[in-house]
Amino acid sequence: MLTQFVKLSSNSKIGKIPATNSSRLTCPNSCPFKLNGCYADGYYTSLNWNKVTSGERGSEWPEFLASIAAIKPAQLWRHNVSGDLRPTVNNKELIDSKALTQLATANSDSRGFAYTHYLPSKHNIRAIRKANKLGFTVNLSANSVAQSIEYKKAFPDLPVVTVAPSDIGNGTRTIDGQKIVVCPATYKDNVTCKTCKLCSVSNRDCVVAFPAHGTQSKKANLIARG
């Protein structure tokens, strides 16, 4: 199971920062977007994702970690434009806590961030909390705004993002007492992950919402609307 490291992303929404992609095998079956509305199944992203999954692109874990360790201090980088955190060998619904700690340690003084659709089981939350404490930001990914509010109430110390209906609008609003910020890069041409950096802030109070978009948006909208 290879992981791809890209020195500078060509994705216009991410900006010119390092980025990575992981095999489809890292995605938990419990994710409702798996083969059912995932934004990463858009044409060009999907083509690259398939090549990483087949082993045509990417590197073995030790080599990948070395690439992460070589990132400059304070440099923002995004883990898993496609794919998720590595699972354990015996249970694909559990995060490989050892591998995640290795990644967070390799991240060192750089500013890596990721999202995960793994369910918030005790094992997974423990692994995610440790990574965040080590300085590698792992966002809990919710399937709807309502679920993101539940996540933030249950895990106020962790950063949370969510998929939202495509018609959620722009800007910031408060829903059921929770501040929801729609990702600025989804509606502002001059904003990218590189310039925004909000998802890399592990101790933020707000939930970041990503409106369903891309070729899979119709399917994603059905899930995001609950």
Side-chain angles (χ1 to χ4, degrees), residues 6-38:
V6 180
K7 289 184 178 180
L8 285 179
S9 172
S10 60
N11 187 307
S12 60
K13 293 299 182 183
I14 296 175
K16 297 295 184 181
I17 60 173
T20 74
N21 294 281
S22 294
S23 166
R24 288 180 181 272
L25 299 176
T26 60
C27 294
N29 291 329
S30 55
C31 177
F33 298 101
K34 190 171 184 177
L35 300 177
N36 186 43
C38 178

Side-chain angles (χ1 to χ4, degrees), residues 1 11 13 18-19 58 61 73 96 106 116 131 153 156-157 170 173 175 180 182 220 226:
M1 187 163 56
N11 187 307
K13 293 299 182 183
W61 192 242
D96 184 335
T116 183
K153 287 180 179 178
D157 59 317
N170 303 331
R173 75 285 323 274
I175 301 176
I180 309 292
V182 176

Side-chain angles (χ1 to χ4, degrees), residues 91-109:
N91 190 331
K92 300 301 182 182
E93 297 300 318
L94 297 180
I95 294 168
D96 184 335
S97 56
K98 180 179 178 181
L100 181 54
T101 297
Q102 290 173 336
L103 178 59
T105 301
N107 176 67
S108 186
D109 295 327

Side-chain angles (χ1 to χ4, degrees), residues 1 6 28 48 68 72 77 83 90 109 111 144 162 165 180 187:
M1 187 163 56
V6 180
N48 181 67
I68 299 304
K72 294 179 180 180
W77 65 278
N90 298 323
D109 295 327
R111 195 170 176 179
S144 66
T162 187
I180 309 292
Y187 64 92

